[in-house]
């Protein structure tokens, strides 16, 4: 354990930063010993060089700023919740998914590991299909390492946050691009995001980036169309409301649905 703590501390000692103090808090108070061993494994795999400050602390996961082996910034998303509530909340996304069928009920840790793998694979599949998502770097048990969207440890704003700062022209360009990205997820990656909203889109370098793809399902999922409708409703509400961007809801939704029905690659 001491060795692990040492690598997390390494290199940064000369630089006195608030973020570093956060890191000690993380190491000492947040991670259970199994998560620590998986972090150490990422270090010995030469994936993760260092873990820095905390970016976000959600219900299910925590996201940290880290440094990859090549010294690029990465986001490190760690699933820490192993409660039955979490299992219940993700159940509807995994029913009927063959990747989860052989997990014995009650094996929550295995379920979380599969959930993290699913997020990693969804990221990869979207990325390979040209969807603008963070580049996936690695997955290890309950930990996903991906490209960091932001600068110097400061994450990019969500679309919900960024909208206040955009002028009319920028808002229009970004809104149109959000619709293109959502279409690419369905028609090219052949997935449905299933939690698409202004909170799971970051605005970075003038473009919208889709994040938080753990719950995305393939078209074969029994609720794929229902999830798609909800996603498009969320986008329609925010784009027409807050961003003043009008689009034909019915035409857009039916175009995406036809990709599901045809299994088209777009
Ligand atoms: N690749 C990334 N680069 C920068 N920041 C990120 C990245 N991925 C996630 N974040 C930050 O972490 C937050 C939470 O990430 P995400 O939406 O994937 O997790 P979540 O499980 O939905 O958490 P929450 O319950 O807080 O929504 C994002 O809103 C964003 O601020
Ligand atoms: Mg989220």
């Amino acid at each position: 354990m001491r060795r692990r703590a040492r690598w997390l501390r390494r290199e940064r000692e000369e630089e006195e930063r608030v973020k570093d103090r956060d890191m000690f808090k993380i190491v000492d108070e947040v991670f259970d010993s199994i998560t620590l061993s998986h972090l150490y494994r990422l270090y010995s795999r030469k994936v993760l060089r260092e873990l820095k400050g905390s970016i976000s602390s959600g219900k299910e996961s925590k996201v940290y700023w880290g440094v990859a082996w090549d010294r690029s910034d990465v986001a490190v998303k760690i699933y820490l919740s192993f409660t039955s509530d979490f299992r219940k909340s993700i159940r509807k996304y995994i029913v009927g998914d063959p990747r989860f069928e052989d997990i014995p009920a009650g094996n929550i840790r295995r379920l979380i590991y599969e959930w993290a793998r699913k997020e990693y694979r969804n990221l990869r599949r979207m990325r390979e299909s040209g969807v603008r998502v963070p580049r996936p770097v690695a997955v290890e048990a309950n930990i996903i390492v991906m490209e960091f969207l932001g600068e110097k440890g400061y994450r990019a704003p969500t679309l919900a946050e960024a909208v206040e700062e955009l002028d009319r022209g920028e808002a229009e360009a970004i809104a149109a691009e959000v619709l293109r990205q959502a279409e690419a997820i369905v028609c090219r990656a052949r997935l449905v995001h299933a939690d698409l909203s202004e909170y799971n889109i970051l605005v970075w370098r003038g473009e919208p980036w889709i994040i938080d793809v753990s719950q995305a399902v393939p078209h074969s999922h029994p609720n794929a169309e229902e999830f798609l409708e909800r996603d498009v409703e969320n986008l329609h509400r925010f784009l027409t409301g807050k961003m003043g961007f009008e689009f034909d809801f019915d035409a857009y939704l039916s175009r995406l649905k036809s990709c599901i029905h045809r299994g088209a690659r777009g």
Side-chain angles (χ1 to χ4, degrees):
M1 190 73 78
R2 196 181 285 160
R3 205 169 148 216
R4 280 175 212 143
R6 207 181 313 136
W7 79 259
L8 287 164
R9 268 170 219 184
R10 251 178 29 142
E11 296 185 2
R12 307 301 304 169
E13 275 163 354
E14 71 283 4
E15 273 189 57
E16 183 61 21
R17 283 191 185 191
V18 177
K19 300 253 180 207
D20 290 293
R21 285 201 292 274
D22 288 348
M23 182 188 77
F24 293 117
K25 251 200 253 155
I26 294 163
V27 173
D28 293 342
E29 292 165 20
V30 177
F31 296 145
D32 56 281
S33 61
I34 297 178
T35 298
L36 267 175
S37 74
H38 295 313
L39 279 168
Y40 184 64
R41 172 100 184 101
L42 284 166
Y43 177 76
S44 42
R45 278 174 62 191
K46 297 198 185 319
V47 171
L48 192 60
R49 189 179 284 277
E50 200 182 342
L51 199 61
K52 296 197 181 183
S54 162
I55 300 171
S56 152
S57 193
K59 290 186 301 292
E60 306 152 357
S61 67
K62 295 183 187 300
V63 180
Y64 298 92
W65 166 39
V67 179
W69 215 255
D70 65 3
R71 300 193 186 273
S72 61
D73 283 349
V74 282
V76 182
K77 185 171 181 177
I78 308 183
Y79 285 96
L80 290 165
S81 172
F82 298 87
T83 64
S84 62
D85 275 359
F86 180 50
R87 192 178 35 173
K88 245 182 260 164
S89 76
I90 66 178
R91 207 183 138 72
K92 60 178 179 293
Y93 300 100
I94 64 178
V95 172
D97 189 325
R99 294 177 289 190
F100 291 98
E101 262 161 19
D102 67 334
I103 298 174
N107 192 339
I108 296 172
R109 194 169 281 276
R110 264 285 302 286
L111 192 65
I112 302 276
Y113 294 176
E114 285 302 316
W115 190 247
R117 278 198 79 74
K118 180 155 119 81
E119 177 154 5
Y120 178 81
R121 282 152 67 167
N122 285 340
L123 275 178
R124 210 167 58 185
R125 183 155 153 182
M126 288 186 196
R127 181 93 182 174
E128 283 165 0
S129 308
V131 181
R132 203 179 292 106
V133 291
R135 182 176 57 83
V137 175
V139 62
E140 178 74 42
N142 55 331
I143 305 167
I144 302 152
V145 182
M146 67 188 118
E147 176 182 10
F148 182 80
L149 308 178
E151 308 287 347
K152 299 190 169 82
Y154 292 98
R155 65 164 178 86
T158 63
L159 183 57
E161 293 163 344
V163 72
E164 312 294 342
E165 312 291 323
L166 302 173
D167 66 33
R168 200 166 168 72
E170 290 168 333
E172 217 162 80
I174 286 178
E177 185 57 24
V178 165
L179 293 182
R180 278 194 288 274
Q181 293 296 314
E183 183 164 356
I185 293 172
V186 178
C187 299
R188 297 179 70 86
R190 292 175 300 122
L191 293 166
V192 174
H193 185 289
D195 193 16
L196 202 51
S197 77
E198 63 274 24
Y199 302 105
N200 283 331
I201 299 172
L202 300 187
V203 178
W204 190 47
R205 296 184 172 158
E207 301 281 4
W209 292 68
I210 309 292
I211 61 161
D212 201 3
V213 303
S214 57
Q215 69 294 312
V217 295
H219 291 177
S220 59
H221 189 283
N223 303 109
E225 276 198 48
E226 183 196 318
F227 295 151
L228 175 64
E229 278 167 26
R230 197 180 57 192
D231 282 355
V232 176
E233 275 163 20
N234 281 340
L235 293 183
H236 188 254
R237 175 189 42 75
F238 190 77
L239 299 188
T240 60
K242 273 272 177 174
M243 297 188 78
F245 183 83
E246 294 300 329
F247 72 99
D248 185 337
F249 176 87
D250 292 324
Y252 182 78
L253 180 60
S254 68
R255 195 162 74 237
L256 269 55
K257 277 191 178 174
S258 74
C259 286
I260 292 187
H261 297 144
R262 276 192 258 114
R265 280 185 166 272

